[in-house]
Amino acid sequence: MAGLLEPLMLYLGTSGWPSEGDWAGLSPRQRRRRYFERFNSIELTQTYRRVPDWDVVGRWRAYAPRGFVYSWVAPRYLTYRPGGAERRGLRRFLRRHKRLGRARGGVRFAVPTGTDPAAFGEWLALLAELELPGDYAFEVEEKLGELLEPYGWTAVNRPGAWQYTLDRPPLPNLPGYAYFSSLAAALRHQREVTAERG
């Protein structure tokens, strides 16, 4: 893993733009502004359904205040099997992610249950060959987790040199990304951390 994270930096936010409670009536611009005031990261879930166009990525980059990063969910079309079409699709997705520049966060790969370990091992080698380094985290079955170790990548919600957590409090003093599926949970965690620090 090429270290994109600053030392001991934890990026905190929600998985998807919040639209609950008093945020529901806000325009996208107002929602973005409020979000940027409270968090330093977001996991954009729409990247699972569709790879964003170059101009959309450029706008996201331009909107991001200094120190803010966008994490992406890898697209649903990935098969996690090596091949020419897989290589092209993966490269296309990761090049768009790289375009975020200083606003680039992590990428979460949701690997389907039942993925063949041999094929997944070859797929990981393909990912490494693309030479598009990033903070990559994988939602994988236990048996696939050890295949990540040679590359320095991590499994979601398992111990590692950095973390990518969803809906659980992040581990203290470890860098990484922590996202919550609800705005209320993310804000509650922020309040708890602030109270602990006094």
Side-chain angles (χ1 to χ4, degrees), residues 4 6 43 60 84-85 111 123 155 164 181:
L4 298 177
E6 295 178 24
E43 183 187 60
W60 286 341
V111 181
W123 185 91
Y164 196 112
S181 58

Side-chain angles (χ1 to χ4, degrees), residues 12-27:
L12 175 70
T14 57
S15 184
W17 291 105
S19 60
E20 58 204 69
D22 63 344
W23 292 54
L26 300 176
S27 70

Side-chain angles (χ1 to χ4, degrees), residues 25-40:
L26 300 176
S27 70
R29 183 177 182 176
Q30 291 170 320
R31 194 177 305 153
R32 232 184 4 253
R33 186 179 306 127
R34 183 181 284 187
Y35 189 92
F36 290 153
E37 289 171 357
R38 287 164 176 76
F39 301 106
N40 64 353

Side-chain angles (χ1 to χ4, degrees), residues 12-181:
L12 175 70
T14 57
S15 184
W17 291 105
S19 60
E20 58 204 69
D22 63 344
W23 292 54
L26 300 176
S27 70
R29 183 177 182 176
Q30 291 170 320
R31 194 177 305 153
R32 232 184 4 253
R33 186 179 306 127
R34 183 181 284 187
Y35 189 92
F36 290 153
E37 289 171 357
R38 287 164 176 76
F39 301 106
N40 64 353
S41 184
I42 189 168
E43 183 187 60
L44 296 175
T45 56
Q46 63 261 48
T47 58
Y48 176 73
R49 294 182 302 278
R50 184 173 184 271
V51 176
D53 295 329
W54 288 106
D55 60 332
V56 171
V57 178
R59 283 197 301 274
W60 286 341
R61 180 179 174 169
Y63 293 150
R66 185 168 183 78
F68 188 91
V69 300
Y70 301 96
S71 290
W72 287 8
V73 180
R76 62 184 171 191
Y77 63 70
L78 293 178
T79 65
Y80 299 96
R81 296 179 167 278
E86 186 81 352
R87 176 186 293 271
R88 287 187 296 277
L90 191 54
R91 182 185 292 133
R92 178 175 177 259
F93 172 73
L94 292 176
R95 282 185 174 164
R96 302 283 167 96
H97 186 247
K98 186 177 181 182
R99 172 96 191 273
L100 287 168
R102 62 173 175 73
R104 180 167 59 135
V107 173
R108 175 169 56 103
F109 293 91
V111 181
T113 302
T115 297
D116 176 62
F120 184 60
E122 291 176 27
W123 185 91
L124 290 171
L126 180 152
L127 175 59
E129 286 171 18
L130 292 178
E131 296 183 346
L132 290 166
D135 290 331
Y136 301 146
F138 296 81
E139 284 186 76
V140 292
E141 295 175 274
E142 189 79 35
K143 65 182 180 181
L144 299 180
E146 65 187 34
L147 296 173
L148 304 170
E149 292 172 12
Y151 302 100
W153 296 324
T154 189
V156 171
N157 294 336
R158 301 213 185 108
W162 65 284
Q163 58 190 321
Y164 196 112
T165 65
L166 296 168
D167 287 337
R168 64 172 65 183
L171 298 172
N173 302 319
L174 261 188
Y177 306 88
Y179 299 110
F180 294 86
S181 58

